[in-house]
Amino acid sequence: MNEWPLLSIITFLPLVGVVFILMIRGDEEIVTRNARNVALLTAGATFVMSLFLWFGFENGTAEFQFAEQNDWLPGTGISYHMGVDGLSVLFVLLSTFLTPICILASWESIKTRVKEYMIAFLILETMMVGMFCALDFVLFYVFFEGVLVPMFILIGVWGGSRRVYAAFKFFLYTLAGSVLMLVALLAMFMDAGTTDIPALLAHHFAPGLQMWLFLAMLASFAVKVPMWPVHTWLPDAHVEAPTAGSVILAGVLLKMGAYGFVRFSVPMLPQAAAEFTPLIYGLSVVAVIYTSLVALVQEDMKKLIAYSSVAHMGFVTIGIFTMTTQGVTGALYQMLSHGIVAGALFLCVGVVYDRLHTREIARYGGLLHRMPKYALVFMLFMMASVGLPGTSGFVGELLVILGAFQVNTPVAALMSTGLVLGACYMLYLYRRIIFGKLEKEDLKALPDMSGREVLMFAPLVVVVLWMGIYPMPFLDMMSASVDNLIANFETARAAAETAPALLALN
Amino acid sequence: MTVAIVFLPLLGAILAGLFGRFLGRRGSQILTCLLLAVSALLSIPLLYKVGFGSGPFTVVLLDWIHVGTFNVSWALKVDTLTAVMLFTVTMISALVHIYSIGYMSHDPSVPRFMSYLSLFTFFMLMLVTADNLVQMFFGWEGVGLSSYLLIGFWSDRPSANAAAIKAFVVNRVGDFGFMLGIAGIYLSFDSAHLDTIFAAAPAMAGQSLHLFGMDLPLITTLCLLLFLGAMGKSAQIGLHTWLPDAMEGPTPVSALIHAATMVTAGVFMVARMSPLFELSEAALSTVAFIGATTAIFAATVACTQNDIKKVIAYSTCSQLGYMFFALGVGAYPAAIFHLMTHAFFKAMLFLGAGSVIHAMSDEQDMRRMGGIWKNIKVTYAIMWIGSLSLAGLPVFAGYYSKDMILEAAWGAHSAIGQYAFWMGAAAALLTAFYSWRLLFMTFHGAPRADEKVMAHIHESPLVMLIPLGLLAVGAVFAGMAGYDAFVGEDRMHFWKAALAVVGPDPIEAAHHVGEAVKLLPVVIALVGIGVAYAFYMARPAWPGRLAAMLPGVYRLLLNKWYFDEAYEALFIRPAFALGRILWKQGDVGIIDRLGPDGVSWAARQVARRTARLQSGYVYHYAFAMIIGLAVFVTAYVIGMEG
């Protein structure tokens, strides 16, 4: 297998699908049907290819695997370099796993410009996968920013009534961050003479420079996570995005910021990371409590889940900056779990939205009577979101709390209030939608989930339970890379502490 | 065998839950009852084997979470404590399953109900067989989930939904402590595995833990964090408010979950962690104090409630208080003994109350009952047996366990022991009083229900009476049968190392207290019955007159000491108000206004101003150029001079 450029295949296979979709000719109806089929087949094939990563990945090492390197801009130290390690491989799989489900979710709900929609979605997949595989900062930057274009189009074209405002807000926030990250990229290139990520990981940046680089990257990553107070684009973007757009947004795009932290900020700028840890803790704790309270009073289902995402990502950022084995592993696990659970919750919203075309919570109630299957699935994902043991949500939360408790007990205690608040807003949401008397006339004729919808949820249900009951395969894939990350971080910090002493001796 | 005991209920839950439509009502009932019955029957030889034979063992099932030095597995740890719990839980659960066939016969969602009951049983069994704290937490949260689902089972009722959420959220407050306790234990012991913790614990006594910027005594802090979890699950004062509301669930649920098993999980947890609690005097005293306070507090409230189920719910709360102060004085076997006997007689009281409610066409208010004992004689007898056992009258099960608790409290010879003893004794008086108040109000006096209801009164079917009869056997004989093994001569051999005792054995001390102390609870109970007779049979006008004499006290008790009102004002309304403020003022008002909206507004303003500059008149531009030139020249000259 190693001779194959597997990562390039996975990354660019969706573009092959795009070419096929572009070649479709004929009636509107035929084009629509074929575009759907081709997109689903392509996404399915990409997922099958990505399974080779799952089976071929070696757990014991922190080295980059499936690496490929080709000249891109000769003489500049900038190359086409791809590879995955334990920090990124599972996110590649998450992306390829969610995309076919998203295409299934868009099967009936997208009725206009289906061909263009599918093209945008496949391009989006290429960008996501490429971003997690890139081992060159310039390449990473291209994919990182490239993701935004199809997402921007998905919201702007297939979005709801206030889509233009949402798209503009999304754009403004991310633009501010991107510009600063580009500056950071250039500064790193000037300092290290290369943009190759493994080389940058080995390079030592001067402490003063680290501070500026860290702040510049923080601006970009914090928006993506999103951290408080740069989170307000997320609720609007989610509300206006089509269902599948929300799934990808919550499932994968929100992970880009946190991935940036573990790939760049922390290992490349360890001293700055240590220095800014209190800031990150502070913002994250505020995020957990603040957005949980805001989620409690939301009247729009998608907004509620969007705010809950901000709270959950607060756990992730805390976990990363604890720099303990449990904390970082928990953060990565929480990212994966949140990707699946939040994605599934948005799909759950999509199911009833497709039927009634409203996301207003007050318009629902008593769905248990008409849609028992839906109630069961929704219950499972709600509980996973709340972090019930036995679901994927618990493992991440537990590990993050264990990690946080080792380094900072007040932070651990404050973030744990998220457990209580999370239960409040999720149970309150569920009660208003599923429980109660079935009184509203238009709800009385709602059909339960169709075969297509069951098929869409089945893999998510399996993965959420699997990750909750037997998480070892996932944890094993991460462990070597996490250990390596922490070991390097500790070495760098220890070196930084002894460095002034050496200077004094001279 | 252990695996079968634990996983058969899960099998039943999955089959009835997912394939209920194919199995049908009857099919799901038979299937779940059968699986539970097998599980219950298997637990008897297991208890015998572990308690009187080969002793404890552990079955490891599967790796769970291994990250760095944090290792937990799925495992079934069976020692005497677990075996007792397995026996109690499966036995009561099986009987409640059977009873539910009759009780829920008119309900449209029978398979769902049976599935939830079995699911609950599975989680409870996982809780008691845990060999590490994380698996215990799995069961802990799992029973919370099942309890939530079952309280809200009649989901059309807004009150049931509210009660379900309340139960889950209040428990989560306790779980917040449990979770931090797990984290603290891992930090201190580098493990979450029970046996490892217990082995290392004695060496850690006296060490301190740096927490929240303070140096706190290690073991005490950890124990109190865990105890917060126990308080939530076992409805101790402060976190008890969910339990009375949980009576919104169908009565079999109240019997199984909110009386016999789940609410005792906190007691089990403290007993399980006894090697840790034993090392901290302060933690044990706190447990005893909270327990004794809850015992008397809940008993006072029970005296004024009119809903038959609420009376029994507060009674449960009070009895759990007894178990906790037994734990707090170190009399772990007495607490577990009372846990077991209480499970039988309280489940029976609840199911008996269910039988009354069933007979009275779903009436729960005792003010609209009365004079029905002739119509439902079996139920009447059942309620008498349950009350006699609860009040702790000789021969009945409650007598053995409750007396032992009070004697152990007395025998502790400590201030906290004295407090617990006198609170417990006062609560015993109230217990007898409210139990007979319930009996008299429900069964005696003039009928206060309307004729339609009275005409319809009927004894419950056999499928409900047989489980009641079996529970009655337990409520009468469990005390006598278990006495020697649990707290008598054989207790060392029976418990082996399952319950730790450091220092003098409180049970031994309890056997040597004076005759007066041994006799006192019985005398008190008889007094309580007498007062209830005077108030509700002989002189029915007295209760009203007493309430009129002490209106403040009466209102305080009737409104359950205003806990709900206080929490509503302190937490719930502020949380919603704060959420709204943060959303409207914080996100929209500040962040958006200064952020994206502000930037776009500023951009528009700048653009508009700039556009105004482009007037098109040449002299405007020429003037601007001259001004600019002047500024630059001036700056240059000043720069040269500097």
Side-chain angles (χ1 to χ4, degrees):
Chain A
M1 276 314 299
N2 273 336
E3 291 82 55
W4 284 31
L6 187 59
L7 293 177
S8 294
I9 293 176
I10 298 170
T11 307
F12 294 106
L13 194 56
L15 291 187
V16 177
V18 169
V19 172
F20 277 109
I21 293 179
L22 282 172
M23 291 195 299
I24 298 170
R25 292 280 180 271
D27 291 344
E28 175 87 21
E29 200 181 317
I30 296 174
V31 171
T32 302
R33 198 181 63 220
N34 285 335
R36 280 177 188 146
N37 288 334
V38 172
L40 184 62
L41 274 176
T42 313
T46 311
F47 177 62
V48 171
M49 288 310 291
S50 68
L51 286 179
F52 284 108
L53 284 183
W54 173 263
F55 291 110
F57 190 83
E58 273 186 49
N59 286 339
T61 166
E63 296 294 312
F64 289 103
Q65 304 183 29
F66 304 98
E68 308 162 25
Q69 191 158 19
N70 294 303
D71 278 349
W72 184 19
L73 304 171
T76 55
I78 302 170
S79 64
Y80 174 82
H81 191 181
M82 305 276 267
V84 288
D85 64 354
L87 305 178
S88 56
V89 62
L90 288 167
F91 296 102
V92 175
L93 286 159
L94 178 69
S95 310
T96 59
F97 174 68
L98 285 178
T99 307
I101 293 174
C102 285
I103 289 173
L104 265 183
S106 318
W107 209 253
E108 282 159 15
S109 58
I110 300 297
K111 294 191 176 70
T112 53
R113 307 185 201 215
V114 175
K115 180 176 154 186
E116 288 79 3
Y117 179 90
M118 294 299 169
I119 290 173
F121 228 96
L122 290 175
I123 294 177
L124 182 62
E125 182 173 19
T126 290
M127 295 297 167
M128 294 187 303
V129 174
M131 194 214 59
F132 287 119
C133 296
L135 282 188
D136 184 279
F137 203 165
V138 174
L139 190 61
F140 172 84
Y141 187 76
V142 169
F143 284 124
F144 190 78
E145 298 302 319
V147 168
L148 301 178
V149 179
M151 199 65 208
F152 186 75
I153 293 172
L154 283 176
I155 297 175
V157 177
W158 291 275
S161 50
R162 294 178 72 223
R163 57 180 183 258
V164 175
Y165 175 71
F168 127 80
K169 213 171 180 181
F170 179 56
F171 178 75
L172 261 188
Y173 267 116
T174 44
L175 178 79
S178 305
V179 172
L180 289 171
M181 186 158 86
L182 186 62
V183 175
L185 197 167
L186 291 173
M188 286 173 115
F189 179 63
M190 304 294 253
D191 196 67
T194 176
T195 56
D196 195 49
I197 288 174
L200 288 174
L201 285 170
H203 185 81
H204 177 72
F205 292 97
L209 182 61
Q210 283 195 19
M211 296 295 162
W212 292 110
L213 290 175
F214 188 89
L215 284 174
M217 288 192 189
L218 178 65
S220 179
F221 296 145
V223 168
K224 288 287 188 328
V225 167
M227 291 172 75
W228 184 87
V230 287
H231 65 281
T232 60
W233 63 271
L234 185 71
D236 286 304
H238 268 310
V239 166
E240 301 306 327
T243 300
S246 285
V247 174
I248 290 296
L249 195 55
V252 184
L253 262 63
L254 257 52
K255 310 300 166 304
M256 289 164 45
Y259 175 72
F261 282 130
V262 288
R263 177 61 79 222
F264 297 96
S265 304
V266 169
M268 290 180 194
L269 315 167
Q271 280 142 280
E275 202 74 28
F276 283 108
T277 297
L279 174 72
I280 302 282
Y281 284 168
L283 295 180
S284 306
V285 164
V286 171
V288 170
I289 297 171
Y290 179 111
T291 51
S292 295
L293 287 170
V294 174
L296 199 58
V297 294
Q298 294 305 308
E299 286 133 21
D300 182 307
M301 295 190 214
K302 272 190 159 181
K303 262 198 177 167
L304 194 154
I305 300 170
Y307 274 110
S308 86
S309 293
V310 182
H312 281 126
M313 292 310 286
F315 271 73
V316 171
T317 42
I318 290 175
I320 292 171
F321 281 83
T322 59
M323 272 300 131
T324 55
T325 314
Q326 285 82 26
V328 176
T329 311
L332 290 170
Y333 207 84
Q334 174 84 339
M335 282 159 72
L336 271 187
S337 162
H338 177 264
I340 289 168
V341 173
L345 283 171
F346 280 114
L347 285 177
C348 285
V349 174
V351 167
V352 286
Y353 182 78
D354 287 349
R355 286 162 174 66
L356 220 59
H357 299 289
T358 175
R359 293 176 311 265
E360 199 189 330
I361 296 169
R363 290 278 289 105
Y364 294 91
L367 292 188
L368 178 65
H369 296 277
R370 288 289 312 172
M371 308 175 71
K373 272 188 257 176
Y374 175 69
L376 179 68
V377 169
F378 197 171
M379 168 67 70
L380 177 78
F381 291 117
M382 173 185 79
M383 283 300 157
S385 172
V386 168
L388 195 84
T391 64
S392 59
F394 172 70
V395 180
E397 272 182 16
L398 172 77
L399 291 172
V400 170
I401 290 175
L402 289 178
F405 203 91
Q406 291 167 41
V407 292
N408 195 326
T409 44
V411 166
L414 286 171
M415 74 192 280
S416 300
T417 57
L419 299 181
V420 181
L421 293 168
C424 294
Y425 61 71
M426 284 315 285
L427 295 181
Y428 188 44
L429 169 73
Y430 191 82
R431 168 195 172 179
R432 286 179 289 171
I433 294 174
I434 303 292
F435 290 149
K437 276 206 178 72
L438 187 66
E439 279 166 337
K440 302 186 178 79
E441 282 307 318
D442 49 356
L443 298 180
K444 288 186 181 161
L446 286 190
D448 203 351
M449 294 203 296
S450 66
R452 174 183 61 86
E453 285 164 335
V454 171
L455 185 69
M456 184 169 93
F457 279 111
L460 294 166
V461 169
V462 170
V463 171
V464 163
L465 290 175
W466 176 18
M467 284 180 68
I469 294 168
Y470 189 60
M472 288 317 293
F474 302 89
L475 294 172
D476 285 341
M477 283 174 96
M478 296 172 185
S479 74
S481 295
V482 171
D483 289 343
N484 182 48
L485 177 74
I486 291 169
N488 288 342
F489 181 82
E490 294 299 338
T491 325
R493 214 160 50 168
E497 273 163 21
T498 52
L502 285 175
L503 284 176
L505 282 177
N506 290 340
Chain B
M1 187 163 82
T2 321
V3 176
I5 294 174
V6 175
F7 286 93
L8 285 179
L10 178 65
L11 181 67
I14 292 173
L15 291 177
L18 296 184
F19 308 105
R21 222 171 324 149
F22 307 106
L23 290 167
R25 298 158 67 86
R26 190 51 45 145
S28 353
Q29 285 164 345
I30 293 175
L31 182 80
T32 48
C33 289
L34 212 62
L35 290 171
L36 240 302
V38 172
S39 185
L41 289 178
L42 286 175
S43 74
I44 298 171
L46 184 71
L47 175 62
Y48 189 79
K49 192 175 103 182
V50 175
F52 303 102
S54 54
F57 60 93
T58 302
V59 188
V60 179
L61 299 173
L62 187 69
D63 285 346
W64 189 12
I65 307 174
H66 290 208
V67 175
T69 55
F70 183 78
N71 293 315
V72 293
S73 299
W74 296 105
L76 307 176
K77 171 190 166 78
V78 185
D79 59 6
T80 309
L81 178 61
T82 301
V84 169
M85 292 301 290
L86 285 177
F87 168 75
T88 313
V89 172
T90 53
M91 205 50 85
I92 307 276
S93 178
L95 294 175
V96 169
H97 269 76
I98 296 167
Y99 179 92
S100 302
I101 295 177
Y103 192 84
M104 300 297 284
S105 57
H106 305 300
D107 199 279
S109 338
V110 167
R112 190 159 63 92
F113 183 77
M114 301 309 280
S115 166
Y116 288 171
L117 276 187
S118 290
L119 185 69
F120 162 77
T121 314
F122 163 71
F123 280 125
M124 189 73 201
L125 298 179
M126 284 303 273
L127 194 168
V128 298
T129 52
D131 90 324
N132 61 71
L133 285 167
V134 184
Q135 186 184 327
M136 196 189 282
F137 194 72
F138 167 81
W140 194 264
E141 291 274 276
V143 290
L145 168 70
S146 335
S147 156
Y148 160 79
L149 292 171
L150 283 164
I151 295 169
F153 183 74
W154 286 317
S155 65
D156 283 359
R157 297 184 189 169
S159 57
N161 291 326
I165 294 186
K166 189 175 179 184
F168 197 92
V169 171
V170 174
N171 269 297
R172 272 263 153 160
V173 175
D175 296 348
F176 162 82
F178 196 162
M179 192 79 148
L180 291 179
I182 294 177
I185 284 182
Y186 170 65
L187 178 64
S188 319
F189 293 91
D190 216 26
S191 177
H193 188 252
L194 292 173
D195 294 336
T196 316
I197 298 168
F198 298 158
M204 305 291 276
Q207 291 202 16
S208 64
L209 179 67
H210 192 71
L211 201 64
F212 312 127
M214 294 169 282
D215 279 318
L216 299 171
L218 176 82
I219 303 277
T220 306
T221 313
L222 296 179
C223 286
L224 290 180
L225 283 173
L226 292 178
F227 181 57
L228 187 63
M231 281 176 66
K233 193 73 41 190
S234 293
Q236 292 300 287
I237 190 164
L239 295 179
H240 67 281
T241 53
W242 65 272
L243 183 60
D245 288 22
M247 298 303 127
E248 286 289 340
T251 305
V253 173
S254 312
L256 176 63
I257 300 185
H258 306 118
T261 53
M262 184 189 84
V263 289
T264 60
V267 180
F268 166 79
M269 187 244 261
V270 176
R272 172 56 90 211
M273 301 308 289
S274 58
L276 216 53
F277 277 84
E278 272 298 305
L279 298 173
S280 167
E281 195 66 37
L284 281 179
S285 300
T286 312
V287 173
F289 178 77
I290 297 279
T293 311
T294 308
I296 185 77
F297 152 75
T300 57
V301 177
C303 292
T304 57
Q305 298 302 305
N306 292 315
D307 183 315
I308 185 166
K309 283 179 74 180
K310 289 237 161 119
V311 175
I312 311 180
Y314 274 103
S315 158
T316 304
C317 205
S318 167
Q319 295 297 310
L320 290 166
Y322 277 93
M323 295 176 213
F324 273 109
F325 77 66
L327 297 169
V329 298
Y332 305 101
I336 300 297
F337 189 31
H338 195 54
L339 188 162
M340 199 249 319
T341 59
H342 175 259
F344 281 103
F345 64 72
K346 191 51 72 65
M348 191 175 76
L349 276 172
F350 258 119
L351 295 181
S355 185
V356 172
I357 295 165
H358 202 66
M360 298 290 291
S361 314
D362 293 331
E363 180 59 70
Q364 300 197 11
D365 193 330
M366 295 191 296
R367 285 170 298 188
R368 287 196 284 277
M369 293 180 182
I372 55 173
W373 69 273
K374 276 187 196 135
N375 307 66
I376 43 174
K377 282 183 185 146
V378 181
T379 306
Y380 180 57
I382 292 288
M383 293 302 276
W384 260 93
I385 297 173
S387 299
L388 285 168
S389 197
L390 171 64
L393 288 172
V395 185
F396 293 91
Y399 167 73
Y400 294 94
S401 52
K402 195 179 192 174
D403 266 22
M404 180 47 71
I405 288 178
L406 287 172
E407 285 156 21
W410 181 270
H413 296 299
S414 60
I416 193 74
Q418 284 296 311
Y419 174 74
F421 176 80
W422 289 111
M423 288 298 138
L429 177 74
L430 296 175
T431 305
F433 173 74
Y434 68 65
S435 298
W436 266 265
R437 172 176 175 267
L438 184 149
L439 281 177
F440 294 140
M441 277 180 84
T442 307
F443 293 103
H444 294 273
R448 295 181 294 274
D450 59 34
E451 281 166 21
K452 211 173 121 205
V453 173
M454 290 304 289
H456 199 254
I457 291 181
H458 57 280
E459 188 57 272
S460 298
L462 270 184
V463 72
M464 288 163 72
L465 292 181
I466 290 173
L468 279 174
L470 290 172
L471 283 172
V473 174
V476 178
F477 297 107
M480 255 182 276
Y483 188 81
D484 275 345
F486 278 75
V487 292
E489 303 291 314
D490 298 339
R491 64 181 189 281
M492 291 301 174
H493 173 235
F494 180 70
W495 292 108
K496 304 186 184 70
L499 300 170
V501 176
V502 177
D505 182 4
I507 302 288
E508 193 57 45
H511 286 295
H512 300 294
V513 295
E515 279 305 310
V517 175
K518 289 191 171 174
L519 211 59
L520 187 69
V522 178
V523 176
I524 283 177
L526 291 173
V527 173
I529 296 170
V531 175
Y533 183 81
F535 270 49
Y536 292 93
M537 293 293 282
R539 295 279 183 278
W542 282 10
R545 229 181 283 163
L546 185 68
M549 266 162 62
L550 301 164
V553 175
Y554 179 69
R555 268 204 307 279
L556 178 71
L557 298 184
L558 190 66
N559 289 299
K560 308 143 197 167
W561 297 47
Y562 296 104
F563 268 100
D564 283 324
E565 288 76 5
Y567 287 172
E568 174 85 26
L570 280 175
F571 301 115
I572 298 166
R573 261 180 280 150
F576 275 87
L578 194 60
R580 240 169 250 123
I581 290 171
L582 292 177
W583 180 28
K584 294 290 184 193
Q585 310 298 323
D587 268 22
V588 179
I590 297 174
I591 298 176
D592 276 356
R593 189 182 291 168
L594 297 181
D597 295 351
V599 168
S600 72
W601 178 83
R604 274 202 303 277
Q605 290 299 313
V606 169
R608 195 174 298 146
R609 299 255 164 86
T610 321
R612 217 179 293 157
L613 286 177
Q614 296 165 348
S615 57
Y617 296 110
V618 176
Y619 62 88
H620 280 176
Y621 298 152
F623 184 67
M625 281 159 73
I626 292 167
I627 298 272
L629 193 63
V631 168
F632 277 117
V633 169
T634 315
Y636 183 68
V637 171
I638 292 171
M640 288 287 281
E641 283 172 0

